[in-house]
Amino acid sequence: MAATSSFLPRHIGPTPADQSEMLQQVGHGTLDELIFEAVPNGIRMDRELDLPEPLSENDALSWLKSWMSQNVVVKSFIGQGYYGTLTPGVILRNVLENPGWYTAYTPYQAEIAQGRLEALLNFQTMVTDLTGLDVSNASLLDEGTAAAEAVTLALSNKPKGTAIFISDRCHPQTIDVVVTRAEPLGMKVIIGDWATFDPTTAEGLFAVIVQYPDTRGRIDDFTNFFAKSKEAGAITICAADLMALTLLKAPGEFGADICVGSSQRFGVPLGFGGPHAGFMACIDKLKRKMPGRLIGVSVDSQGQPAYRLALQTREQHIRRDKATSNICTAQVLLAVIASMYAVYHGPKGLKEIARSIHSKARELQNALTAGGEIVEDGAYFDTLVVCTERAEELVMLAPESGFNLRLIDGSHVGISLDETTTSTDIWNLCKLFKIERPSEKPQDVSWGESLSRTSEFLTAPAFNAYHSETEMLRYLKRLETKDLTLNESMIALGSCTMKLNATSEMLPLSWPEVSSIHPFAPANQTTGYIEMLTQLENWLAEITGFAAVSLQPNAGSQGEYAGLIAIRRYHESRGEGHRHICLIPVSAHGTNPASAVMCGMKIVGVKCDDAGNIDMEDLKALTATHRDNLSALMVTYPSTHGVFEETIREITDIIHEAGGQVYMDGANMNAQVGLTSPGLIGADVCHLNLHKTFCIPHGGGGPGVGPIGVAPQLVPFLPGHFSMEDKSHAVCSAAYGSASINTISWMYIAMMGAAGLKNATEIAILNANYVAKRLSSSFPILYTGKSGLVAHECIIDCRPLSKESGIGVEDIAKRLMDYGFHSPTMSFPVTGTLMIEPTESESKTELDRFCDAMISIHGEIQDIIDGKMDATDNPLKNAPHTNSVMCADEWPHGYTRQQAAFPLPYLKVHKFWPAVSRIDNVHGDRNLVCTCDTVEAYAQR
């Protein structure tokens, strides 16, 4: 294949000439020699991956287009939590299709993430306003998992019992996910009719869940039911539709403690099930245990208000097995889209959309009733249920008229309208039922005053200022420029693999055949999707060395959970349900113990030796102690310390011999692909972060896909779904999770091929070792393998310098912003260190620019040690330096403005300016403000 048509050199950063120079610097003549020394011989693959030959970008797009064109795109009136929506073009082009938004990292470094944080604060404000509750988080994965997280939140309230009631009129996928999540935690789930259920007589009741409007479209007043539930000591949970809440009484106003749901119909495409942003809002007393992320307001060093992630001590690296949830459960990019949909339309526009939807539903109901059809009684917003013996026939015939209906059962058809519904659609629906459409259009609503919304919402300035496309475009651009993303510079975060998200990989997301398919559409309309997803599963199984892969988990956190649940179910199937001990090295990702606790496991930590490897003697001793109850070992490979552990095969053998299973965290899969595999190493299950190794962008902390690969004995225990043959143990709302973004990983693998994927891994290892070599004279490299090499990431030890100078890793992280870089991972897995992962996509030029910045920062620290610079008034302690600080009339510092803002020559060519000065984290947590006006509004006051 001609080099000009090959994708490989587009993805790989260093040129062949660069690679030769880099290899020389790390002391190896060839790439093969480097890999031979870095990767232990006992785990190396002796064959090439069995994958198709690589395709050019155009050919891959053509192949995928031909497959996805097999999908049948029709109007969906299926509803059930998923609706057609119109993404405003200004948001589609400038957020969803814009690398300035989709390549962003999780906003842990708040000073260079102010735009994203403001958008997420808008999301929280939107949710709290519409739900009538005090606090909202910054998104969850989908409605089903949000409901399950709400149950966990209720459980953290230390109830006296373990029983939960869920209305049988909740969406079936929500019920399934809640049941899956409840089982390992020993909860008793009662499913029934809320109208006849008496909470005061239910033993051990700690929570109740209802749907509003419910899955059949009915709107009920839960005031009395919630009052009785609270009398019984239960937390009240309401799953609600945000669009309906623009017209209906807010759940907080009729007694909900927690409200969950999906923001999908606020401009987020269907995408065969995802990605979509779930939400959760709660009363004030529950906020400090609320799962996920919370955006709040603090102040910066100049006294100006600034946004940040609040309550960061809940982050799993700190709380581990005591975490309230897995903090990776977020869909930031989709939450941004939903919030901007609300900003663009404003409260008036949203009401108009909702009224239009309801008006068309009333028009359809009148026509059906006049034509002799029986429509279920009760108030409704957008969904009608028709009682007819022709139910199956009507659902089967509907696609011929250009739409899908929902078959509830043999005698009931569901019809859910949305903002895409037109007058022509109403006419076509009437024709399907063989009735005349009335000419009179109803204007009233189907519910009484007691259920009508009287409270205002979205009164903050952001929702009332940007309704013209000109103003909206400029608002989006202002926010975008406040964030440092991958289209600005390298983001070298250890364990996070911030690599190229190629444009050709992203293009299919905007195809209607990808974006406009309902997750519960008939199977004969989704053949293209199923073929693509099946092939991707097969490719991932080949890459990982496993028997099968499930794409259902819609985040790495869900992958961890699904994998551990599979292990739990496997033990139970063998009559060994008592196996509940999970061994986890102390260096493991904090998400590991958080996920294991959610699966009902008890965590036992395994020590690491001085070289950062698992302490084999401690592992053997703990395995012997817990042999009879050992469920699993969770291990990351290469290790979280960035090293290929030589003893990994021995480790897996020890666990297997004791009857346990080995769970491998796939966070570091970027160092394995094509060289080794979890299956070859001896793992039984591994989750993959497709948003890391396989090029799905981070999107500011979501979307993600976290599929699991399993060994043969675990295949029967992969996640099921009510819409699949295996109808049990769903871990998220849709059968294929965030199906649409799997096209990104399909494109990546199709264009790279076996040799390309292997080469990517090799260059990732080369880049990491090159950075380690260049920085080693300034910062000690904490862990290396026997050959003195690292894997795909390295940890630099800042503690000796800190001890001499008083400069900590946070100071270095903030100073890097002045040099135009996002900090590597701070103080994980070792306090006082920085973990750097440059990825294969970064060029030698960019690696050198980053290393030059780090070496320059080392020089600044040395000046402090040598007394050439003040220990408290220096560029590191005062970093980052904003444009406004630099332009101030007074300059009270003992170093120059030039040294502050332009310490290296490249910064005079192009400079990224942090939006705010260093943020006071303590102030933010002590003065938690998480739903508020814009920063500009605060500043004006």
Side-chain angles (χ1 to χ4, degrees):
M1 184 178 292
T4 53
S5 64
S6 172
F7 175 70
L8 183 61
R10 310 293 189 195
H11 180 79
I12 300 296
T15 66
D18 289 336
Q19 293 173 34
S20 296
E21 185 179 338
M22 294 160 68
L23 284 163
Q24 192 172 23
Q25 290 210 30
V26 299
H28 291 278
T30 67
L31 196 55
D32 286 343
E33 289 177 14
L34 172 69
I35 299 304
F36 183 83
E37 290 294 327
V39 183
N41 182 55
I43 65 165
R44 286 203 293 269
M45 294 177 67
D46 58 2
R47 64 176 182 85
E48 190 174 88
L49 293 170
D50 184 13
L51 297 171
E53 288 297 309
L55 299 171
S56 69
E57 294 178 69
N58 286 337
D59 286 346
L61 285 166
S62 295
W63 267 100
L64 187 59
K65 185 73 171 179
S66 67
W67 273 17
M68 300 310 283
S69 293
Q70 298 175 56
N71 296 332
V72 181
V73 181
V74 300
K75 275 283 180 72
S76 174
F77 298 132
I78 297 172
Q80 202 172 315
Y82 299 94
Y83 305 90
T85 185
L86 300 174
T87 309
V90 66
I91 297 174
L92 177 70
R93 177 63 60 88
N94 295 287
V95 179
L96 181 60
E97 298 176 346
N98 182 355
W101 286 95
Y102 67 67
T103 68
Y105 180 60
T106 304
Y108 292 133
Q109 295 293 337
E111 293 85 354
I112 50 176
Q114 288 295 294
R116 204 167 340 134
L117 288 165
E118 179 169 331
L120 290 175
L121 197 75
N122 288 343
F123 179 85
Q124 291 179 179
T125 304
M126 172 186 81
V127 171
T128 53
D129 279 8
L130 288 171
T131 61
L133 287 164
D134 300 316
V135 182
S136 165
N137 65 16
S139 82
L140 292 169
L141 297 175
D142 58 28
E143 185 165 334
T145 55
E149 293 281 3
V151 172
T152 305
L153 175 57
L155 199 62
S156 73
N157 203 42
K158 297 182 180 179
K160 296 179 181 178
T162 58
I164 176 171
F165 171 82
I166 182 166
S167 167
D168 58 8
R169 294 179 74 102
C170 289
H171 293 314
Q173 67 269 24
T174 299
I175 296 173
D176 284 357
V177 174
V178 170
V179 169
T180 298
R181 192 75 69 87
E183 186 268 330
L185 297 178
M187 300 182 208
K188 177 186 177 184
V189 181
I190 306 165
I191 303 170
D193 182 354
W194 71 270
T196 59
F197 176 73
D198 186 352
T200 60
T201 62
E203 185 178 352
L205 187 71
F206 76 91
V208 298
I209 307 179
V210 297
Q211 190 94 38
Y212 175 74
D214 68 30
T215 195
R216 295 169 80 112
R218 192 174 69 195
I219 302 167
D220 291 302
D221 187 344
F222 297 108
T223 304
N224 292 334
F225 177 68
F226 275 5
K228 283 187 177 181
S229 298
K230 291 184 178 184
E231 183 184 333
I235 295 289
T236 54
I237 303 167
C238 178
D241 180 336
L242 287 181
M243 186 62 76
L245 295 185
T246 64
L247 301 179
L248 295 177
K249 178 187 284 189
E253 294 172 0
F254 58 69
D257 295 316
I258 305 171
C259 185
V260 297
S262 170
S263 61
Q264 178 268 317
R265 70 190 306 174
F266 275 35
V268 181
L270 286 165
F272 200 38
H276 306 141
F279 67 82
M280 178 188 292
C282 68
I283 56 176
D284 187 73
K285 77 171 186 177
L286 296 175
K287 70 185 178 187
R288 292 189 178 267
K289 293 185 178 179
M290 187 164 57
R293 299 169 184 156
L294 194 67
I295 311 304
V297 178
S298 184
V299 294
D300 72 2
S301 60
Q302 305 302 308
Q304 296 300 308
Y307 306 119
R308 62 179 285 271
L309 281 177
L311 302 177
Q312 288 178 313
T313 53
R314 299 177 309 160
E315 214 277 327
Q316 276 69 25
H317 297 326
I318 300 168
R319 291 186 58 82
R320 297 175 72 82
D321 57 310
K322 294 181 177 62
T324 55
S325 78
N326 191 319
I327 202 168
C328 294
T329 53
Q331 297 279 30
V332 171
L333 183 67
L334 296 315
V336 169
I337 291 171
S339 73
M340 291 306 171
Y341 179 93
V343 167
Y344 194 45
H345 289 296
K348 182 179 178 181
L350 291 178
K351 282 183 180 180
E352 288 176 357
I353 292 169
R355 287 194 185 105
S356 175
I357 294 169
H358 182 64
S359 177
K360 288 184 173 65
R362 292 283 285 170
E363 184 180 352
L364 180 60
Q365 185 210 27
N366 285 356
L368 292 172
T369 304
E373 297 291 344
I374 301 173
V375 179
E376 278 192 351
D377 290 335
Y380 59 87
F381 167 60
D382 60 6
T383 298
L384 307 173
V385 174
V386 183
C387 310
T388 172
E389 296 304 315
R390 298 174 54 223
E392 294 184 10
E393 177 191 354
L394 289 166
V395 171
M396 184 177 65
L397 291 174
E400 297 177 12
S401 299
F403 50 81
N404 289 323
L405 302 178
R406 177 185 175 189
L407 181 64
I408 296 175
D409 55 43
S411 56
H412 293 88
V413 173
I415 309 173
S416 294
L417 308 186
D418 55 52
E419 70 166 317
T420 71
T421 304
T422 64
S423 295
T424 301
D425 294 327
I426 300 298
W427 177 236
N428 287 335
L429 282 163
C430 289
K431 285 198 292 187
L432 177 68
F433 282 89
K434 298 180 180 178
I435 58 177
E436 290 293 324
R437 175 186 174 191
S439 57
E440 201 174 313
K441 294 185 178 180
Q443 298 300 320
D444 57 333
V445 298
S446 67
W447 56 86
E449 288 186 12
S450 64
L451 283 171
S452 291
R453 184 170 198 114
T454 56
S455 56
E456 291 187 330
F457 60 92
L458 305 188
T459 57
F463 299 102
N464 295 278
Y466 309 113
H467 302 326
S468 75
E469 182 163 334
T470 305
E471 288 303 315
M472 186 68 183
L473 182 65
R474 290 170 181 163
Y475 180 57
L476 290 172
K477 187 63 179 178
R478 283 200 299 275
L479 297 191
E480 180 191 342
T481 57
K482 293 180 180 182
D483 287 14
L484 191 151
T485 57
L486 204 61
N487 64 348
E488 171 71 32
S489 63
M490 177 172 76
I491 301 179
L493 287 147
S495 283
C496 285
T497 316
M498 297 290 290
K499 65 204 292 181
L500 172 69
N501 316 121
T503 304
S504 56
E505 294 159 5
M506 303 297 295
L507 287 174
L509 289 176
S510 296
W511 296 347
E513 309 95 299
V514 173
S515 65
S516 300
I517 306 293
H518 193 286
F520 307 141
N524 62 1
Q525 296 178 12
T526 63
T527 54
Y529 248 123
I530 301 305
E531 284 186 23
M532 182 274 293
L533 294 169
T534 300
Q535 184 172 61
L536 180 58
E537 287 177 343
N538 291 337
W539 286 351
L540 294 175
E542 167 65 13
I543 290 167
T544 56
F546 282 127
V549 167
S550 168
L551 289 168
Q552 185 179 123
N554 52 4
S557 56
Q558 296 302 101
E560 288 184 17
Y561 180 78
L564 292 171
I565 285 293
I567 290 174
R568 177 187 173 91
R569 293 177 65 198
Y570 166 73
H571 287 312
E572 289 173 344
S573 74
R574 293 159 52 86
E576 296 184 331
H578 59 276
R579 289 185 175 270
H580 68 288
I581 298 295
C582 187
L583 301 180
I584 302 181
V586 295
S587 65
H589 291 94
T591 57
N592 290 173
S595 295
V597 167
M598 288 168 62
C599 293
M601 295 180 178
K602 180 181 178 181
I603 311 306
V604 175
V606 182
K607 296 176 184 176
C608 289
D609 61 23
D610 292 339
N613 300 315
I614 291 176
D615 186 318
M616 294 301 293
E617 295 307 313
D618 192 45
L619 176 69
K620 291 174 184 177
L622 291 172
T623 302
T625 299
H626 299 289
R627 183 183 187 89
D628 293 340
N629 294 311
L630 179 61
S631 176
L633 166 76
M634 296 188 79
V635 61
T636 301
Y637 199 80
S639 75
T640 308
H641 291 137
V643 176
F644 285 103
E645 294 190 42
E646 302 275 349
T647 57
I648 187 64
R649 276 273 183 84
E650 184 183 353
I651 289 169
T652 59
D653 288 344
I654 289 169
I655 300 302
H656 288 151
E657 194 278 328
Q661 299 282 284
V662 176
Y663 177 97
M664 182 174 287
D665 186 314
N668 292 343
M669 194 68 195
N670 210 42
Q672 288 193 42
V673 179
L675 301 180
T676 184
S677 72
L680 181 63
I681 291 167
D684 299 291
V685 58
C686 174
H687 90 268
L688 303 173
N689 297 99
L690 297 194
H691 47 291
K692 295 182 181 181
T693 302
F694 296 95
C695 291
I696 293 174
H698 278 60
V705 179
I708 55 170
V710 295
Q713 74 275 12
L714 296 181
V715 173
F717 309 108
L718 287 171
H721 194 271
F722 80 89
S723 65
M724 304 168 71
E725 288 185 16
D726 180 1
K727 298 184 180 297
S728 62
H729 292 89
V731 297
C732 69
S733 290
Y736 291 95
S738 293
S740 63
I741 54 175
N742 282 300
T743 55
I744 300 169
S745 297
W746 187 96
M747 285 288 296
Y748 173 63
I749 297 172
M751 293 188 296
M752 293 290 280
L757 292 173
K758 179 182 178 183
N759 188 233
T761 307
E762 293 169 337
I763 301 302
I765 294 172
L766 171 61
N767 280 2
N769 279 280
Y770 177 72
V771 169
K773 185 70 174 179
R774 277 215 61 193
L775 294 182
S776 59
S777 59
S778 300
F779 301 92
I781 306 303
L782 193 57
Y783 299 115
T784 60
K786 292 170 77 174
S787 59
L789 298 170
V790 297
H792 66 310
E793 59 192 7
C794 62
I795 299 176
I796 61 172
D797 194 352
C798 305
R799 292 172 296 182
L801 282 173
S802 295
K803 189 174 182 181
E804 286 190 79
S805 65
I807 297 296
V809 285
E810 185 173 10
D811 299 317
I812 296 173
K814 304 309 179 189
R815 182 57 173 154
L816 268 171
M817 296 176 190
D818 289 329
Y819 286 83
F821 285 103
H822 192 294
S823 170
T825 304
M826 288 195 308
S827 291
F828 175 78
V830 180
T831 300
T833 66
L834 292 172
M835 183 160 61
I836 304 167
E837 182 183 355
T839 86
E840 72 275 10
S841 297
E842 298 300 341
S843 66
K844 180 177 180 296
T845 300
E846 186 71 356
L847 299 180
D848 284 334
R849 196 168 71 93
F850 173 78
C851 290
D852 290 345
M854 289 299 298
I855 292 167
S856 176
I857 289 172
H858 172 269
E860 293 172 347
I861 298 173
Q862 192 62 50
D863 283 347
I864 295 170
I865 294 171
D866 296 340
K868 297 177 182 178
M869 196 174 290
D870 189 85
T872 55
D873 180 28
N874 58 67
L876 288 107
K877 288 293 184 184
N878 294 327
H881 297 81
T882 64
N883 204 338
S884 60
V885 167
M886 296 302 300
C887 295
D889 292 338
E890 295 183 8
W891 183 256
H893 307 297
Y895 54 94
T896 66
R897 298 179 197 248
Q898 168 92 6
Q899 190 170 1
F902 303 101
L904 288 177
Y906 70 80
L907 293 163
K908 295 181 180 178
V909 179
H910 173 70
K911 169 77 176 178
F912 175 85
W913 291 97
V916 296
S917 299
R918 192 175 308 196
I919 294 172
D920 187 333
N921 291 333
V922 174
H923 175 93
D925 280 345
R926 286 179 178 170
N927 303 277
L928 182 61
V929 179
C930 51
T931 304
C932 56
D933 288 340
T934 63
V935 163
E936 287 82 358
Y938 266 98
Q940 289 172 5
R941 287 204 297 272

